Amino acid sequence: MSRRVKARDEAPPATPASSESARRFSTISDMEIEPRYDAEDVRGEIGNPGEFPYTRGPYSTMYRGRPWTMRQFAGFGTVHDTNERFKFLLSQGQMGLSTAFDMPTLMGYDADHPRALGEVGREGTAVSTLDDMVELFDGIELDQVTTSMTVNCSASVILAMYFVVAERQGLPMTVLGGTIQNDMLKEFIAQKEWISPPEPSVRVIVDMIEFCTKEAPRFHPVSISGYHIREAGSTAVQEVAFTLADGLGYVEAAVARGLNVDDFAPRLSFFFNLHNDFLEEIAKLRAARRLWARLMRDRFGAKDPRSMRLRTHAQTAGCSLTAQQPMNNVARVTIQALAGVLGGVQSLHTNSMDETLALPSEQAVMVALRTQQIIAEESGVINTVDPLGGSYAIEALTTRIEEEAEDYIRRIDEMGGIVRAIEVGFPQKEIAEAAYRFQRQLDGGEKVMVGVNAYKAEGESPMEILRIDPTVEERQAARVRAFKEARDQAAAKARLEDVRTACKNGGNLMPVLMDAVRAGVTLGEVCDVYREEFGVYHDPAWL
Amino acid sequence: MAERKIRILVAKPGLDGHDRGAKIIARALRDGGFEVIYTGLHQTPEMIAEAAIQEDVDAIGLSILSGAHNTLFPAVMKELKARGGGDIVMFGGGIIPEEDIAELQGQGVRGLFTPGASTDEIVAWVRANVTPRD
């Protein structure tokens, strides 16, 4: 990777030589940082907020015009438990919903499937049937909130269910706002929740982009996610590079389907991580916006400014939190969230202090939400747009991250695009390498995690954590079995066969899936058809 | 003749795909001089036990971040016993609350590591606690 070397021209430090020269000053991504940055280090187009290339933010007025959306990710136990948490969060000033599903739902298994054993309702809420989805949003008017749903390989079924829930509330799809994560390329790269291989996975995503563009134009059909790439151990540069490369993959596939770039690109949104390294994170967000704007204009001939304008949700870094002295996590989350706001995000989730121990307790979630409210209402950073724009260090780092990310994208292009790069394991191996390097730096004490490899405390008293009721699994499995018994079997079977036909003949899956869930077909049943028709992807298990 | 290398299976049971820890541990153990086999993701207890017997390993390290540890550790041990591998040393890591650690150790899991454990610590533990099976 290219690394600019700058001569050190300042006088030798007054302190003993060992204090500076023995120490490398580098970001958490291991990017070496100069002793200082000056006007000559500022290159790259800064521009104005709300104008190409959007370095300074996607909107001209930023948070003066509209605050970011405070959106806390929530989901555990039964849909009833999660529905109560949603209502609590809305009552506390949260502005949008964000749904966490459990592992069986995320992997396309119903709660009564043998592979769901031990996992139902643990890391999120369990949704197998339309009834589950109806109860999840019970008493919440879906035209009054925007809903984010974190689900990928089974996203098509969940979105179909969501649209049918809205239909039951008497709402047309055109009024529904929200986001479904639906980013399979980053699953192969980082989060590793999949059903079928990359190519059919991308086909389903393009079906959803096409459908939403026509029928649900306020919905974001894919949230191109760097969050998980970073959590898997990537550097900041890799996070930008692989995320934008995934985005390019979807745009290419949608254009190949015959869609006009300016019809769908404005509804693509992003999701980035906010890690501990404050300046690097601010620069990362600015670099991602500038690079995406140029790629969309130059590669796809986008004309609509909204197609070039990268808008993003962000979440503080789960992997940065420590189980040791967990209250310290409140300080970490504050720094990370502030980086997000100074970096210009549109929506934000702040992690709770207890998340390395378990799903967050209600009290911990409250502190996390209040952290955002303190930044918004008390810190004053929202008063002016992009207050750090023009800072020598920020602008120099922005340009450097952009250049190094573009280098990666060039290498991926040379491999034949992101799907090919994933097939040979390129991003996966690059990330594993970075993760291992960081771990060795931690083990060697070159990088510090407070409370983990420095400033340790003995005899900590354990935190009160949320425990999932062990009876959830059996209750949910019984509920799914009862649902399946009560439906019109012939109709469900016929609609499931329609799904199979659409898988085979390439017809858009979304209308067919909506009919299927209306007829009582379950999430697991649809995903079984995906497994049969599209095949099953197996982990290549690269080390 | 030199003693043969200790063979370790690093495995990811269940549905959760968070393999950062498993891969780091696998590499650290390999760099520590052990022979390491990594199963990859989404393994059932049967698949893990089968792989352990096939590969004739001395120890199995399970990485579980899904909260399903109380189900998955015993399930793997049961499958191992059924295949004559009851003496294979079980260890593991993940987000495992204190009281669950005591419970799992009571059931025969020899070592459990939680977030913040260093790779050096885990390599040293394996060196001290795992010997080649006859």
Side-chain angles (χ1 to χ4, degrees):
Chain A
M1 209 183 297
S2 65
R3 185 158 283 166
R4 288 186 311 123
V5 180
K6 191 169 136 185
R8 294 189 177 210
D9 56 2
E10 73 276 13
T15 44
S18 63
S19 71
E20 192 186 13
S21 62
R23 190 173 158 194
R24 277 176 80 235
F25 286 85
S26 62
T27 66
I28 201 165
S29 301
D30 210 30
M31 184 180 266
E32 272 194 71
I33 294 297
E34 305 294 339
R36 67 173 219 225
Y37 291 88
D38 301 312
E40 80 214 35
D41 296 309
V42 176
R43 294 174 295 124
E45 190 181 347
I46 300 173
N48 291 317
E51 291 173 21
F52 187 90
Y54 306 101
T55 318
R56 303 196 62 193
Y59 301 109
S60 60
T61 57
M62 290 301 288
Y63 308 127
R64 291 174 67 106
R66 182 183 178 181
W68 67 88
T69 304
M70 298 178 191
R71 193 188 292 280
Q72 298 295 89
F73 190 37
F76 60 96
T78 64
V79 285
H80 179 74
D81 298 326
T82 302
N83 178 265
E84 285 191 343
R85 177 65 69 89
F86 280 170
K87 287 176 177 163
F88 167 75
L89 286 166
L90 291 170
S91 75
Q92 294 300 311
Q94 171 163 294
M95 299 129 92
L97 298 175
S98 177
T99 320
F101 298 99
D102 69 359
M103 285 307 310
T105 308
L106 294 176
M107 291 290 287
Y109 296 107
D110 288 340
D112 62 341
H113 192 282
R115 293 227 54 168
L117 191 68
E119 314 225 29
V120 176
R122 287 218 171 262
E123 291 184 301
T125 194
V127 172
S128 309
T129 69
L130 181 62
D131 277 7
D132 294 336
M133 201 71 167
V134 167
E135 195 175 329
L136 179 60
F137 294 102
D138 181 54
I140 298 167
E141 293 168 54
L142 297 185
D143 56 344
Q144 300 300 310
V145 291
T146 57
T147 305
S148 166
M149 291 179 282
T150 297
V151 55
N152 295 279
C153 61
S154 53
S156 50
V157 194
I158 292 287
L159 187 62
M161 286 180 179
Y162 188 79
F163 288 156
V164 174
V165 171
E167 179 181 275
R168 294 212 176 161
Q169 290 189 2
L171 299 169
M173 285 184 275
T174 48
V175 303
L176 301 176
T179 306
I180 189 148
Q181 192 166 84
N182 198 29
D183 171 5
M184 280 310 297
L185 293 174
K186 71 89 174 57
E187 292 297 327
F188 297 107
I189 294 174
Q191 188 168 241
K192 322 276 172 85
E193 288 156 13
W194 51 57
I195 295 173
S196 304
E199 287 211 14
S201 299
V202 170
R203 173 251 156 125
V204 176
I205 293 166
V206 175
D207 280 2
M208 295 166 74
I209 293 173
E210 185 179 33
F211 182 82
C212 287
T213 301
K214 291 178 187 142
E215 309 292 341
R218 290 187 56 219
F219 219 88
H220 298 104
V222 51
S223 169
I224 307 159
S225 304
Y227 185 81
H228 321 79
I229 291 173
R230 193 66 182 279
E231 290 290 301
S234 84
T235 64
V237 165
Q238 289 169 346
E239 183 188 351
V240 172
F242 301 149
T243 307
L244 299 199
D246 289 346
L248 295 175
Y250 299 126
V251 176
E252 277 161 18
V255 168
R257 176 76 61 95
L259 301 181
N260 175 359
V261 69
D262 285 325
D263 287 343
F264 69 87
R267 298 313 289 170
L268 297 176
S269 66
F270 286 79
F271 174 23
F272 285 100
N273 197 296
L274 299 170
H275 214 304
N276 281 334
D277 201 295
F278 190 66
L279 302 181
E280 183 174 62
E281 292 302 277
I282 296 168
K284 175 187 84 182
L285 293 165
R286 302 170 93 252
R289 277 196 298 268
R290 187 157 74 200
L291 185 50
W292 184 249
R294 281 202 290 115
L295 289 165
M296 289 303 288
R297 183 190 65 182
D298 299 344
R299 290 201 178 189
F300 300 104
K303 303 264 185 304
D304 186 336
R306 296 175 310 147
S307 301
M308 301 173 232
R309 185 173 71 186
L310 182 155
R311 294 164 307 121
T312 191
H313 173 64
Q315 177 172 339
T316 58
C319 66
S320 74
L321 303 185
T322 65
Q324 297 78 2
Q325 304 172 44
M327 303 259 246
N328 296 345
N329 293 329
V330 177
R332 294 190 177 94
V333 167
T334 306
I335 293 168
Q336 296 163 0
L338 189 57
V341 171
L342 292 172
V345 303
Q346 282 54 65
S347 160
L348 182 59
H349 167 103
T350 33
N351 285 332
S352 301
M353 65 181 111
D354 55 355
E355 288 190 52
T356 56
L357 306 167
L359 291 188
S361 68
E362 198 162 282
Q363 190 195 11
V365 170
M366 176 93 92
V367 172
L369 177 60
R370 294 291 182 252
T371 302
Q372 294 198 40
Q373 290 161 340
I374 289 167
I375 293 172
E377 305 285 353
E378 299 183 16
S379 77
V381 295
I382 65 158
N383 290 337
T384 187
V385 175
D386 187 31
L388 298 187
S391 147
Y392 301 145
I394 290 288
E395 297 300 350
L397 286 176
T398 300
T399 300
R400 182 154 156 209
I401 292 172
E402 181 189 20
E403 287 173 354
E404 292 188 9
E406 201 168 11
D407 263 356
Y408 262 123
I409 289 175
R410 198 170 301 123
R411 287 166 73 185
I412 291 167
D413 288 342
E414 284 163 12
M415 291 175 195
I418 190 64
V419 171
R420 293 288 99 75
I422 288 169
E423 285 168 353
V424 299
F426 173 69
Q428 298 95 311
K429 289 172 191 166
E430 289 288 304
I431 294 167
E433 198 59 46
Y436 191 59
R437 190 169 63 232
F438 178 70
Q439 183 62 44
R440 296 305 297 168
Q441 288 175 333
L442 268 187
D443 290 348
E446 191 189 331
K447 296 280 182 215
V448 168
M449 275 176 102
V450 171
V452 176
N453 66 347
Y455 314 106
K456 295 188 207 176
E458 297 301 326
E460 291 180 55
S461 53
M463 258 198 163
E464 197 60 38
I465 58 168
L466 181 98
R467 302 213 61 125
I468 304 298
D469 177 354
T471 68
V472 162
E473 183 157 301
E474 192 33 54
R475 281 190 285 136
Q476 178 64 13
R479 188 175 140 100
V480 173
R481 284 191 293 269
F483 177 91
K484 284 179 188 168
E485 273 163 31
R487 69 191 173 185
D488 174 344
Q489 303 301 339
K493 191 155 180 267
R495 296 292 80 76
L496 189 58
E497 284 312 301
D498 293 344
V499 174
R500 189 184 304 280
T501 304
C503 287
K504 284 183 175 148
N505 72 14
N508 194 306
L509 277 161
M510 283 308 296
V512 184
L513 289 173
M514 286 175 67
D515 279 344
V517 301
R518 282 186 197 108
V521 173
T522 67
L523 176 125
E525 289 169 330
V526 171
C527 293
D528 280 343
V529 168
Y530 287 171
R531 279 180 266 269
E532 288 156 20
E533 298 304 323
F534 295 143
V536 174
Y537 184 77
H538 293 287
D539 183 10
W542 285 298
L543 275 186
Chain B
M1 202 179 108
E3 201 172 78
R4 75 165 173 85
K5 272 191 180 180
I6 288 171
R7 288 166 69 82
I8 300 167
L9 185 74
V10 173
K12 277 291 295 177
L15 301 178
D16 120 68
H18 296 87
D19 59 0
R20 176 177 179 168
K23 287 184 161 191
I24 284 175
I25 298 305
R27 279 190 66 167
L29 290 170
R30 200 172 62 188
D31 289 356
F34 303 108
E35 230 173 281
V36 177
I37 300 117
Y38 172 52
T39 61
L41 290 163
H42 310 138
Q43 303 289 301
T44 62
E46 294 83 351
M47 289 157 87
I48 292 168
E50 201 53 48
I53 300 296
Q54 292 288 327
E55 299 282 354
D56 194 21
V57 300
D58 306 302
I60 303 178
L62 294 186
S63 167
I64 305 177
L65 289 103
S66 65
H69 44 267
N70 290 335
T71 309
L72 292 170
F73 273 104
V76 171
M77 290 193 287
K78 182 172 155 240
E79 295 297 329
L80 273 179
K81 281 201 189 90
R83 290 168 174 78
D87 58 330
I88 295 175
V89 173
M90 286 292 300
F91 67 105
I95 299 179
I96 305 172
E98 200 112 334
E99 56 269 38
D100 293 356
I101 289 179
E103 172 66 30
L104 289 169
Q105 282 176 333
Q107 294 178 33
V109 181
R110 297 270 297 278
L112 283 163
F113 301 90
T114 52
S118 77
T119 57
D120 295 339
E121 188 185 324
I122 296 167
V123 170
W125 184 90
V126 170
R127 205 164 275 142
N129 289 278
V130 182
T131 48
R133 293 166 76 220
D134 299 319

